[in-house]
Amino acid sequence: MTATTNKAGVISRDSLEGLFDALIARDYVPVGPTVREGVIVLDELRGVDDLPEGWTEDQDAATYRLMRRADAALFGFNNGQHAWKPYLFPPKAKLWEAEKTPDGGFSMRETPDAAKAFAFIGVRPCDLHAIQVQDAVFMAEQNTDPLYARRRRKAFTVVIQCGQAAKTCFCTSMDTGPRADGGFDLALTEILDADRHSFVVEAGSAAGASVLAEIPHSEARPDDLAAAEACTKRAVDQMGRTLDTTGVKDLLYGSYESRRWADLERRCLACGNCTMVCPTCFCTTVEDVTDLSGTHAERWRHWESCYTTDFSYIHGGSVRPTIRSRYRQWLVHKLATWQDQFGTSGCVGCGRCITWCPVGIDLTEEVRLIRDSERKKDAADGHVQEHPHASD
Amino acid sequence: MAQPAEQLPRPMLPTPFRVLETWEEIPGCMSLRVEPAGTGDAAGACAFAPGQFYMIYVFGQGEVPISISGDPARTGELTFTVMAVGTVTDALCAVQPGGIIGLRGPFGSVWPVDEIEGRDVIVMGGGLGLAPLRPAVYHLLNHRDRYGDLTLLYGARQPRTILYTDQLAGWSANDSIDINVTVDNAGRDWTGKVGVVTDFLNWRRLDPDRTSALICGPEIMMRFSAYALLDRGVAAENIHISMERNMKCGVRMCGRCQYGPFFVCDDGPVFSFDRVQHLFRIREV
């Protein structure tokens, strides 16, 4: 960490356009936060002017409001409903197409991906971790998704270190923020006070260093680094929520029969919003279609939510017909089984599922309630029970 | 950015296979024998281990996971047994010899036929669950001298839904495996046994320390069978079951086949019972 701070530079607010210039010159498509329809979304950006200057958000369970800031911060907010996921793992993708051949058979070809290389500008540390979580899903040694792998390897990542936290944020609990120490090409910390508006910048890769070399910048002085550290501290202090991850895998493995799921069923609409905004959810369905002639067929892959009954359908019915079992599948997967599947938690503490749940279900609160209810059950049983779990 | 085309695996792209022969096993249930439609190493393209499955694509209709039901010793071809229960399986059962289907695979874990050498083996099937077991039975019989007592306990709903009847009769006749068939209900013309498949375990001589079991059928049948074997003293790690779940990819990516921490497509479909026993007790996992 000392090594990276030693190399840190400072880019002034007015020189930040140089970042876009350098990336566009390298044929990257810059993607980042911008204001649209009353929300901060991610979209393709032309330059600094497209960033949400002077905007912030008020987020809480089932609440999102865009608000004006008193200052002209470019990254003075946390996370809208968009994760970076759609750019690496598109919500709809054509995987291949096939043509009938005169001999009665058919030939198939993989559909080439026309997407250019993306430069992600303003990736929050939690979202950077989310990308790494999806890397483990789509770029596993045994099985690689070619679409994801190509896009990921081409992408350029500019992290924005958090200087504030929303009420829904809990990255400190998940150990994913509010500061990223690596895994990026460049990382910016926005410094904004009475006499300066600048960005402390660190390069995390050779590609990042080469882009940085083209942006006018100066060497970071100790007071710049102190200001960056103060940003991180401010975000930590503002952290809106906590999730006690102590033994959470065993807790949830032991809670399949908890009475809490019945309570959740009364509130959860099974709308799937949490899975759509989640930066790590990766489940899909496929759709095989033909054109009217019947000689041309395609396979499309779509995001799918574990909240649909179709998700687990096998002949005869759905494996999880009740909402309680579908919410349980989502939560236990996210926080427990994910660890056995991919060696990491499936939750990065971004808080999107809390904000965008139409009825404000808060997983940090649900885990707390499950923990309390298990504790009471154990106390009633007169002993502390070892939870059986499936890790081998 | 102009980059050289990377050579990445294409796990979702099926390979065309030609249907050589089809025949009806029982009403609404067909077997299909297929071979690779292209030139090349047919034996390599069709190599599989008992218990594995393929994703089978019918042009424009969709794709379904189907277990291999054929003899692993017959190289260069594959046999599947398919019940018509939906759009894709209806179309698959209607494919004529000479037709082309798409295959991806083989996927999944295998019946532990090598690990159980030297042991007595009880194969328990329920309904169509006999199909994924048949490659294991072929293997046991192809290498009869490597195993102790072999028993097949098979339950079907009715006499007319008993799979592979001629073959069961043939195996029964040559004494190398003890074949027992029961049905849930039958008419007067049925002279065989009526009852559930676990009935066969009552009073049967069984040495729990040298017995392994391979079970495939509806989950409720596997549950009762596994617990009946546990009651007889067979250890959970010597009981193997084959799970079924919704699957779209076969390569741990679509998330559909999750069963607790497992992806049934890759960690399964065959599990030793000790690995899943804790999940078997819970509804709607």
Side-chain angles (χ1 to χ4, degrees):
Chain A
M1 178 153 157
T2 323
T4 45
T5 37
N6 278 346
K7 282 188 292 185
V10 175
I11 304 173
S12 72
R13 157 71 178 80
D14 294 334
S15 299
L16 194 65
E17 199 66 51
L19 171 65
F20 286 87
D21 295 342
L23 291 170
I24 290 167
R26 282 168 163 75
D27 230 6
Y28 285 109
V29 176
V31 175
T34 192
V35 173
R36 202 172 66 209
E37 295 172 28
V39 190
I40 294 173
V41 296
L42 299 179
D43 204 347
E44 294 182 14
L45 305 179
R46 287 159 301 181
V48 171
D49 286 350
D50 285 341
L51 291 170
E53 182 175 5
W55 288 105
T56 191
E57 326 130 319
D58 176 31
Q59 297 200 49
D60 208 336
T63 301
Y64 182 98
R65 269 190 216 95
L66 202 59
M67 298 191 307
R68 270 288 171 199
R69 291 176 64 94
D71 60 23
L74 296 177
F75 296 95
F77 54 90
N78 289 98
N79 267 325
Q81 84 271 49
H82 287 181
W84 306 87
K85 184 167 87 169
Y87 292 95
L88 298 174
F89 166 45
K92 283 180 75 171
K94 193 183 346 176
L95 297 180
W96 49 257
E97 40 207 296
E99 311 288 343
K100 282 239 179 202
T101 49
D103 63 356
F106 49 88
S107 63
M108 297 187 198
R109 63 179 185 281
E110 196 181 23
T111 303
D113 180 19
K116 296 177 88 176
F118 295 114
F120 299 144
I121 297 175
V123 180
R124 299 288 170 185
C126 59
D127 278 352
L128 181 70
H129 279 86
I131 292 171
Q132 291 162 350
V133 167
Q134 286 215 322
D135 289 348
V137 177
F138 293 119
M139 293 168 67
E141 215 169 289
Q142 290 287 321
N143 304 303
T144 295
D145 175 47
L147 180 66
Y148 182 95
R150 282 195 195 98
R151 289 184 176 208
R152 174 73 167 116
R153 284 174 191 152
K154 285 196 293 191
F156 187 95
T157 311
V158 183
V159 155
I160 181 82
Q161 311 281 20
C162 287
Q164 64 181 70
K167 287 188 224 124
T168 46
C169 286
F170 57 104
C171 65
T172 41
S173 297
M174 305 316 293
D175 203 19
T176 58
R179 198 192 130 75
D181 289 326
F184 47 74
D185 293 300
L186 288 174
L188 306 172
T189 309
E190 186 170 22
I191 311 293
L192 181 57
D193 52 34
D195 40 59
R196 62 183 157 175
H197 189 184
S198 56
F199 294 86
V200 172
V201 57
E202 301 159 71
S205 70
S210 132
V211 167
L212 179 58
E214 288 174 29
I215 309 169
H217 69 284
S218 57
E219 201 174 308
R221 296 180 317 244
D223 65 312
D224 295 315
L225 299 178
E229 253 175 60
C231 276
T232 303
K233 185 176 181 311
R234 190 165 64 230
V236 171
D237 291 345
Q238 289 180 5
M239 202 57 52
R241 278 170 161 80
T242 56
L243 195 158
D244 179 4
T245 58
T246 319
V248 74
K249 186 176 102 174
D250 289 349
L251 171 74
L252 291 175
Y253 275 143
S255 303
Y256 270 93
E257 312 275 22
S258 168
R259 288 158 65 183
R260 295 300 314 158
W261 309 120
D263 180 82
L264 273 156
E265 182 169 67
R266 285 199 290 275
R267 290 175 287 142
C268 175
L269 308 175
C271 68
N273 265 18
C274 51
T275 57
M276 295 293 111
V277 297
C278 179
T280 67
C281 272
F282 60 85
C283 289
T284 53
T285 190
V286 293
E287 192 180 12
D288 289 289
V289 296
T290 50
D291 66 2
L292 282 176
S293 73
T295 59
H296 173 84
E298 299 177 350
R299 172 166 300 165
W300 286 78
R301 183 176 71 183
H302 306 261
W303 288 2
E304 170 69 308
S305 170
C306 53
Y307 284 92
T308 70
T309 48
D310 190 52
F311 183 84
S312 62
Y313 181 87
I314 46 179
H315 66 89
S318 173
V319 170
R320 301 184 197 103
T322 64
I323 291 179
R324 76 182 70 181
S325 67
R326 301 206 290 278
Y327 187 90
R328 182 180 67 186
Q329 164 62 28
W330 180 76
L331 189 72
V332 175
H333 184 214
K334 196 64 51 184
L335 294 171
T337 54
W338 205 299
Q339 297 188 40
D340 279 332
Q341 293 167 353
F342 301 106
T344 141
S345 174
C347 177
V348 295
C350 72
R352 287 187 179 90
C353 58
I354 306 171
T355 299
W356 299 99
C357 175
V359 295
I361 294 173
D362 172 356
L363 82 167
T364 66
E365 185 62 18
E366 298 308 328
V367 169
R368 202 172 352 264
L369 290 166
I370 290 168
R371 203 181 282 278
D372 287 350
S373 111
E374 291 297 300
R375 205 174 280 144
K376 279 183 201 141
K377 202 175 82 191
D378 291 345
D381 292 350
H383 64 281
V384 177
Q385 197 177 308
E386 285 282 321
H387 294 299
H389 60 86
S391 56
D392 291 322
Chain B
M1 298 221 305
Q3 291 207 342
E6 285 176 88
Q7 277 307 309
L8 288 169
R10 298 177 297 180
M12 292 299 280
L13 196 66
T15 304
F17 272 64
R18 181 175 294 104
V19 177
L20 298 171
E21 191 185 357
T22 71
W23 61 96
E24 187 180 62
E25 296 286 359
I26 56 174
C29 175
M30 302 290 292
S31 280
L32 295 85
R33 199 161 64 83
V34 306
E35 68 173 10
T39 51
D41 173 20
C46 297
F48 73 97
Q52 291 192 298
F53 69 95
Y54 275 82
M55 297 297 293
I56 303 187
Y57 170 70
V58 183
F59 186 86
Q61 298 285 336
E63 198 181 46
V64 283
I66 303 287
S67 288
I68 307 152
S69 65
D71 186 346
R74 289 184 71 157
T75 55
E77 60 170 59
L78 293 163
T79 297
F80 300 95
T81 302
V82 185
M83 183 76 91
V85 292
T87 314
V88 183
T89 47
D90 286 351
L92 196 50
C93 284
V95 173
Q96 298 296 312
I100 302 288
I101 57 176
L103 259 62
R104 295 191 293 123
F107 297 120
S109 62
V110 306
W111 297 115
V113 288
D114 295 332
E115 291 84 339
I116 61 175
E117 284 184 7
R119 298 173 64 82
D120 297 340
V121 184
I122 299 179
V123 178
M124 294 181 80
L128 201 64
L130 188 58
L133 284 165
R134 193 167 66 162
V137 176
Y138 279 123
H139 182 94
L140 299 174
L141 295 175
N142 291 344
H143 306 91
R144 183 64 191 88
D145 55 330
R146 299 184 194 168
Y147 300 94
D149 293 343
L150 298 182
T151 308
L152 174 67
L153 310 178
Y154 178 44
R157 285 192 184 158
Q158 296 158 24
R160 67 187 182 92
T161 66
I162 296 171
L163 275 181
Y164 313 135
T165 37
D166 294 346
Q167 205 160 24
L168 292 173
W171 286 338
S172 200
N174 80 5
D175 262 1
S176 52
I177 180 167
D178 178 15
I179 305 279
N180 299 269
V181 180
T182 182
V183 295
D184 292 343
N185 54 70
R188 284 161 183 254
D189 52 341
W190 171 252
T191 55
K193 193 173 154 30
V194 175
V196 293
V197 70
T198 48
D199 290 347
F200 287 124
L201 290 172
N202 301 334
W203 315 113
R204 173 168 293 272
R205 282 171 60 104
L206 179 161
D207 180 351
D209 292 333
R210 49 170 290 136
T211 297
S212 287
L214 314 178
I215 311 174
C216 187
E219 259 177 67
I220 187 156
M221 170 269 173
M222 294 198 288
R223 189 166 82 221
F224 278 102
S225 301
Y227 280 104
L229 288 161
L230 289 174
D231 283 347
R232 293 296 305 275
V234 180
E237 65 259 33
N238 292 325
I239 301 169
H240 306 271
I241 61 161
S242 179
M243 295 293 296
E244 181 184 12
R245 279 295 181 269
N246 187 309
M247 291 176 191
K248 299 293 180 194
C249 75
V251 289
R252 304 175 80 92
M253 273 178 212
C254 76
R256 304 292 286 265
C257 67
Q258 288 179 75
Y259 184 54
F262 304 116
F263 291 107
V264 171
C265 69
D266 191 53
D267 300 312
V270 176
F271 293 96
S272 60
F273 197 59
D274 57 318
R275 297 181 75 199
V276 291
Q277 193 176 359
H278 62 291
L279 296 168
F280 243 71
R281 287 193 296 258
I282 307 165
R283 294 170 74 95
E284 301 184 28
V285 173

